[in-house]
Amino acid sequence: MRDPQLTGVPLADVLLLGGAVAPGPSGAQALWNASTGKPARLNAVDPASGDLLVSAPLTSADGAWAVTAAPSGVYAGTYGRGHLYRWTPGGGDAAEDLGRPVTGQTFIWCLDADADGKVWGGTFPGGNVFRFDPATRATTDFGQAVPGQTYVRSIACAGGRVYSGSYAAAHIAELDPATGTFTELPTPPGLGSVTGKPVYDLNAYDSRLYARIGSDAPSPLYVFDLATRTWSDPIPEVHGLSVCPPGTDGAVYFIQRSELRRYDPATGANTGTGLLLTGKVQNSRSFGWAELGLPEYPGPSVVGTLWRGDMFRYNPATGAHAILETKVRKEPIDIQALGCGGRRTVYAGGFLNGGLSSVDTGTGTPTFHRFGQIEAILRDSEGTVWIGQYPDARLFRYRPDLPWNSPEYSPEGPPGTPANPEVSLTLKPELQARARSLAEVDGKIAVGTVPYGNRLGGGLALYDKATGESTFTRNVVRDMSVIALTADEGVVYGGASIFGGLGTTPPTRTAGAVFAWHVQRAEKLWELELVQGIGSVSAVVVAEGLVWALAGHSLFSIDPKTPRIVRRIELGTRSNDGSIAISRRKLYVSVDGALIFRVDPRFPARDPQLVVNFPHRRLTAHEGRLYLSRGPQLYTVDVRR
């Protein structure tokens, strides 16, 4: 048995999700945000100086999209365990764990407070709406807001009613708390089909409901007059995650087309402020008003935070504006993808807040760059690194020998510096969300994809490195996502999963499959379901002329010409999504989330040898060593002896 050695934590950065502007420890307005980490933290920042005023751990939570304020304190709703937390004045750096408001709900997506100070939230996987009463500490579950909709993505309170927005279809439900009755609002004119159009954000101010329908990318904002029950024309290309409460003149503020904009709902006037934002993600996390006490910012100013921990401010009286750093601390990032680099180099890609690190395997030293969430990493035969990303299933080409410059996430170098990584392919038009797996074949990069959350049917893309041309075949395995790829002699072999994106659409099939796709002929040669009840074939490799595929804890060798299952080897005891790495003609097969077996593909009848028993998630092999991830930590095991 080999003991893994800690290499280090290759990825660390700030990621702010939910936020609110509310009184801090001194009673003055502060920028409140939840930052991801282990544990996540509820932070308060001084909007004038950027100093950290509160950093309260949200125990047993990795992050929180939902933050709101009430007279009783600042609340955060978390994901993973679906707990509600509260910071109260005088609480210092501590937040109280109020428990799970609704049994069986693991994700609190959104929170808002009503005029009576009660806190309302929306959940997944039930799509429930709940109420927490701070006075009695009682929680009321009002049930599923819209039949069949498992996500309540957004929520807002107004006029004694509670409004909830669904994901992944544009349903807005109005709840009468007195009767417990939900009534669906009419669909905004011109929206068309509600399918695949989440109600991503909701705010309610001055008898108007602001509903942004789309995604985390710029999307149309609709305004619903609660008195006349009518919708306005959509305001295009508005960024999330919220609309700023109105100022004394009744105007609200939002970010549109990379600029902070002032919008008068009475007249429809929409004017710019001159405060410009850059990068792919330009969503506000907290958004509100504060007195800054600065000469250029007399009276109330619009203030807020951005996803990487910066803060912004704008003064309507003087037009002064700025984007500044805050002192929110960086947190380790869970490793989502591992890939081999050149000599003494392994790449690690981050989950959620993303990032790419190249790790010097001799010293363990990482070189970190801000980037999006990375699903797959592949170094091709020419030394170019290919990155599969979420969302929009994008494929990036990265040349490690050239300076890094990501205009969207981490611009570096003087103006005019070429983008590196650069986008080669975007599969959003094909309704794909994740570029989940990569392989090189005949001068092309094969990309296996997972669709967006309201559908089934991933696919296989082939990108020609020389010409930039591409093809895409959806449902290469009917109603399945393509989550693993390898290639040999002009044929791509893939592992497929019965699940779609985010689990919003029930599977239609009962077993994951392995398949073969002939690149030149552009046709599927064969497809095999492996184990009934095991929904994914999580890894595929080619060794000794056979295709090796992993379904749960069962390893199969398949003759690709027949196709015929040659051998089935049982490893471990549980069914999970494992992986396979190849080092020195041996297979290293990860199962049960902890066990790594060595299998000799030349002599598979020999008993597999257990070489590692250590909890981990991702696995790769490079230069005679295994590299495995455990949360944000990278470990190595020497298997050369």
Side-chain angles (χ1 to χ4, degrees), residues 454-496:
N454 61 321
R455 55 182 50 84
L456 297 171
L460 179 66
L462 289 165
Y463 174 81
D464 190 309
K465 296 190 292 183
T467 67
E469 296 178 351
S470 65
T471 62
F472 179 75
T473 304
R474 185 167 177 260
N475 277 318
V476 65
V477 180
R478 180 179 57 82
D479 289 351
M480 292 200 198
S481 303
V482 180
I483 62 171
L485 287 177
T486 191
D488 185 57
E489 296 184 352
V491 177
V492 173
Y493 300 96

Side-chain angles (χ1 to χ4, degrees), residues 389-408:
Q389 195 196 55
Y390 167 86
D392 299 343
R394 296 197 294 175
L395 176 68
F396 286 81
R397 184 197 307 247
Y398 171 49
R399 295 176 171 87
D401 57 325
L402 299 177
W404 175 280
N405 177 43
S406 170
E408 294 181 328

Side-chain angles (χ1 to χ4, degrees), residues 120 129 142-145 160-164 173-184:
W120 294 81
V129 171
F142 288 85
Q144 192 172 71
R161 299 290 192 269
V162 179
Y163 300 88
S164 57
E174 180 183 65
L175 169 65
D176 182 347
T179 64
T181 303
F182 289 98
T183 303
E184 192 167 341

Side-chain angles (χ1 to χ4, degrees), residues 148-207:
Q149 294 296 306
T150 58
Y151 288 73
V152 171
R153 179 62 184 84
S154 51
I155 201 162
C157 302
R161 299 290 192 269
V162 179
Y163 300 88
S164 57
S166 296
Y167 183 111
H171 299 280
I172 300 176
E174 180 183 65
L175 169 65
D176 182 347
T179 64
T181 303
F182 289 98
T183 303
E184 192 167 341
L185 297 188
T187 302
L191 180 64
S193 171
V194 299
T195 302
K197 298 174 183 176
V199 185
Y200 211 84
D201 308 310
L202 280 178
N203 298 103
Y205 307 123
D206 295 342
S207 298

Side-chain angles (χ1 to χ4, degrees), residues 4-12 332-333 335 338 348 357 359-361 363-366 627-636:
Q5 302 299 309
L6 178 64
T7 298
V9 176
L11 304 154
I333 301 169
I335 296 170
L338 288 174
S357 271
V359 181
D360 185 318
T361 59
T363 64
T365 303
Y627 293 88
L628 46 151
S629 68
R630 184 178 184 178
Q633 297 173 319
L634 181 65
Y635 290 83
T636 184

Side-chain angles (χ1 to χ4, degrees), residues 488-489 491 493 516 525-526 528 542-548 557-566:
D488 185 57
E489 296 184 352
V491 177
Y493 300 96
L525 302 179
W526 50 261
L528 288 175
V542 175
E544 302 299 323
L546 298 176
V547 175
W548 297 79
S557 62
I558 301 165
D559 181 348
K561 295 181 173 57
T562 320
R564 176 180 62 88
I565 294 175
V566 177

